Amino acid sequence: MSSRLVLAELPQLERRTLADTAYEALADLLASGRLTPGDRLSLRQSAVALGVSVMPVREAVSRLVADGVLEVAPTRAIRVPVMTAQDFRALAETRMAVEGMAAARTAERRSAVELAAIRRAEAAFRGEAGSAEPDGARAVRLNRDLHFAIYAACGLAPLQEIIARLWLKAGPVINLDLRAHPERLLQGYALRRHAETLAAIEARDGPAAAAALAADIREATDFILSRGGLRDA
Amino acid sequence: MSSRLVLAELPQLERRTLADTAYEALADLLASGRLTPGDRLSLRQSAVALGVSVMPVREAVSRLVADGVLEVAPTRAIRVPVMTAQDFRALAETRMAVEGMAAARTAERRSAVELAAIRRAEAAFRGEAGSAEPDGARAVRLNRDLHFAIYAACGLAPLQEIIARLWLKAGPVINLDLRAHPERLLQGYALRRHAETLAAIEARDGPAAAAALAADIREATDFILSRGGLRDA
DNA sequence: TCTTCGGAGATGTGATCACAGATCACTAGC
DNA sequence: GCTAGTGATCTGTGATCACATCTCCGAAGA
C-alpha cells in the first residue's frame, strides 16, 4: 500500500470509442466545408473510408442528425441539409442573440488571464489575415479559436455547448462560401469587429461587446446571402 | 395524369423508425421524472421492455447522450447525470438568458392568433393550478405547454430547438423535486410570473416579458436549490 | 426523341452474434 | 473478522447478416 500515493498520479486514461472518432471525423468534414449542403453520405462508404464497420459510423451519424447537422430524407438517404436563405437568416439571428449574450457575459466577468487568452487569439487571427500570403483554412480556424476563447470565458458551460452546435450547423454553408470566395474573410470587416469586441471586453462593457460580435455575425451573414448561393423558398 | 391534383393533397405519411419511438419513450421517462438523476439504464433491459432489439434503443440512447440528457460513465454504464448545485445553477442561468430572449422576441412580434394561443395556455394552467384537486402531472404538462406556446411565437426555429433541449436536460431534476413536493408549483409564484409575462406580451414590451419569464425560472430554481437535494461539489 | 418500365445494385434499418471489460456475490487466506 | 482474489453474469461496443426499399441505368415502347 506504499504505492497508493504514486498511483494517484496516474492520469486516468481516456476511453474513446470508434463512434467518438467517427463523429469527430465527420464533424470535421462538415465544419471545414469539405462536405457541402446537398451532399449525400453513405454509411457503408464512410465505414470503409474510416476502416471500421458501419456500426460506429451509424452512431456518429445519428448524433449528427440529432444535432441537425445531417438529415435523413424521407427516402432514408443521409445528406447535409440544404438551408433556404430564410433558414440561414434565422440561424444567424439566433447566433447573434446567443453569442452576443455570451460575449456580454464575458465582458462583464472575464478574469485577467481569460482576457490575455482572448488577446492572444485576436492577435493570432490578425496576424494571419494581415500576412502577405494568408492561408484561408488557417484563418478560418483562428477565427473560430478567437470566438470560442470569448465564449469559454462566459462562465456558462451549457451556453458554450449550444454555441458549438450552432457553429456546426452553420459550418457547411459558411465554409462553402469561404472556399468559393476566400478574399472576404481577409478584408477589413472581421478585423474591425474583432477589435471592437476585444475593446469592449477590455472595458468590461457588456452591451458593446454583444453589439460588436453581433455585427460581426451579421456582416458575414449578409455577405453570404448577397452571393445568392442559397435557395430562396 | 388527371389525378395529379388530388394526389397532391395526400398527406405524406411520416416514416417513424423504431429508434424514433424508443427516443420518445425514453425522453418521456426523463421529462416526467420517472427516471431520476443517478438512475442506471440497461440497453438490453430497455430493449425487452420496449419489445425490440437493442439496436433501436442504442441509437435512441446515443442521441440522448449527445444531448447531455444521459451520460456514459467511464465504466461504460449508462445513467442519468447527477448535477451538482453549481451545474443546475448554470443551467438555470442559461435558461433565463435564452428563454428570456425568446419571450422578448415573442412580445415584440407576436401576431394576434399567437397571442390568443398563449392566453389559452395561460388560462388552462391557471385553471388546473387553482382547481379544487389539482393534478400534479397535468399541471406540469400545462406549464410546459404555456412556456412553449410563448417560445413558438418567437419566430426563430433554432432557438426553439435549443430551449427544448434545455428543458430535457433540466427535466429530471425539476420533476424529481416536483414529485417530492407537488405543492410548490400550485402556489402563487408561477401564477404571478405567468400573468406578468402574458401582460408584457400583450403590451409588446420585450424587456418586461424577458424579466418576468426569467423571474419565473429563477424562483423555481431557487426553490429547488433551497431543498438541498443536489450535491454541492 | 422522349417516356416508361424493369432489374441489378446499393441504401438504411433492425436483429443477432462475439467479445472485452465491469459488477457482484462468495470463498480462501491472513 | 476483514481483506483480497475468483468466477458467473451482465454490460456496452463492434461486426455481420437479413431484408424491405430506394436509386440508377439501360431497353422497350410510343
Side-chain angles (χ1 to χ4, degrees):
Chain A
M1 299 312 139
S2 65
S3 59
R4 171 115 353 137
L5 231 154
V6 54
L7 282 180
E9 291 177 7
L10 279 177
Q12 107 168 3
L13 40 87
E14 57 182 309
R15 200 190 305 253
R16 294 171 53 79
T17 66
L18 290 182
D20 292 335
T21 311
Y23 177 87
E24 284 176 22
L26 291 178
D28 183 60
L29 243 53
L30 286 157
S32 68
R34 297 205 294 276
L35 228 37
T36 68
D39 282 359
R40 287 232 311 261
L41 199 67
S42 158
L43 290 185
R44 285 178 174 80
Q45 288 177 20
S46 307
V48 306
L50 290 168
V52 296
S53 90
V54 300
M55 278 299 320
V57 181
R58 212 162 133 179
E59 193 174 320
V61 166
S62 83
R63 286 189 220 169
L64 262 350
V65 170
D67 288 348
V69 182
L70 289 178
E71 69 176 10
V72 300
T75 151
R76 280 183 176 169
I78 299 167
R79 43 172 216 175
V80 185
V82 292
M83 278 192 241
T84 65
Q86 198 172 333
D87 291 337
F88 189 64
R89 208 183 306 270
L91 181 59
E93 263 195 77
T94 304
R95 285 186 54 208
M96 287 167 52
V98 173
E99 297 177 37
M101 181 171 19
R105 284 186 55 97
T106 291
E108 288 159 6
R109 61 196 311 288
R110 92 286 189 293
S111 69
V113 320
E114 286 166 341
L115 175 59
I118 295 170
R119 275 201 183 113
R120 275 197 306 276
E122 195 271 344
F125 177 81
R126 185 154 33 82
E128 183 66 31
S131 84
E133 275 186 34
D135 176 352
R138 187 171 150 76
V140 168
R141 189 155 42 78
L142 290 173
N143 180 55
R144 185 196 160 91
D145 289 347
L146 168 56
H147 273 86
F148 278 86
I150 295 173
Y151 308 142
C154 79
L156 253 34
L159 200 53
Q160 282 178 252
E161 292 170 26
I162 289 170
I163 295 175
R165 253 195 285 257
L166 288 173
W167 274 63
L168 210 53
K169 219 164 166 176
V173 176
I174 292 179
N175 284 289
L176 171 60
D177 183 84
L178 222 58
R179 297 206 144 209
H181 309 278
E183 72 280 7
R184 130 84 187 156
L185 182 67
L186 311 169
Q187 313 300 19
Y189 290 109
L191 282 175
R192 186 171 347 136
R193 297 311 179 191
H194 288 174
E196 289 174 10
T197 308
L198 175 56
I201 292 174
E202 284 171 340
R204 296 195 181 278
D205 185 342
L213 199 132
D216 182 31
I217 297 175
R218 178 186 299 283
E219 285 166 2
T221 302
D222 286 348
F223 186 81
I224 291 176
L225 284 173
S226 73
R227 281 287 166 54
L230 279 71
R231 267 204 347 244
D232 229 4
Chain B
M1 298 314 139
S2 65
S3 59
R4 172 112 357 133
L5 232 154
V6 54
L7 283 181
E9 292 177 6
L10 279 178
Q12 103 170 6
L13 40 88
E14 57 183 309
R15 199 190 305 253
R16 296 170 51 79
T17 66
L18 291 182
D20 292 335
T21 312
Y23 177 87
E24 283 176 22
L26 291 178
D28 183 59
L29 244 50
L30 286 158
S32 68
R34 297 207 294 279
L35 269 177
T36 67
D39 282 0
R40 287 229 308 259
L41 200 66
S42 158
L43 291 184
R44 284 177 175 80
Q45 289 177 19
S46 307
V48 305
L50 289 168
V52 296
S53 89
V54 300
M55 277 299 320
V57 180
R58 212 161 134 180
E59 193 173 321
V61 166
S62 83
R63 286 188 219 168
L64 262 350
V65 170
D67 288 349
V69 183
L70 289 179
E71 69 176 9
V72 300
T75 151
R76 281 183 174 168
I78 299 168
R79 42 172 216 175
V80 185
V82 292
M83 277 192 240
T84 64
Q86 198 172 332
D87 291 337
F88 189 64
R89 208 183 306 269
L91 181 59
E93 263 194 78
T94 303
R95 285 186 53 208
M96 286 165 52
V98 173
E99 296 177 36
M101 182 172 17
R105 283 187 57 97
T106 291
E108 288 158 6
R109 62 196 311 288
R110 93 286 188 294
S111 70
V113 320
E114 286 165 341
L115 175 59
I118 295 170
R119 275 200 183 114
R120 274 197 306 276
E122 195 271 344
F125 177 80
R126 185 154 33 83
E128 183 66 31
S131 84
E133 275 186 34
D135 177 350
R138 188 171 150 76
V140 168
R141 189 155 45 75
L142 290 173
N143 180 55
R144 186 195 159 92
D145 288 347
L146 169 55
H147 274 87
F148 278 87
I150 295 172
Y151 307 142
C154 79
L156 253 35
L159 200 54
Q160 281 179 253
E161 293 170 24
I162 289 170
I163 294 174
R165 254 196 284 259
L166 288 173
W167 274 63
L168 211 54
K169 220 164 166 177
V173 175
I174 292 179
N175 284 290
L176 172 59
D177 183 84
L178 222 59
R179 297 205 144 209
H181 310 279
E183 72 280 7
R184 130 85 186 155
L185 182 67
L186 310 169
Q187 311 302 17
Y189 291 108
L191 283 176
R192 185 168 351 135
R193 298 309 179 192
H194 288 174
E196 289 174 11
T197 308
L198 176 56
I201 292 173
E202 284 171 340
R204 296 196 182 277
D205 184 343
L213 199 131
D216 182 32
I217 297 175
R218 179 186 298 284
E219 284 166 1
T221 302
D222 287 347
F223 186 81
I224 290 175
L225 284 172
S226 72
R227 281 288 165 53
L230 279 71
R231 267 205 347 243
D232 229 3

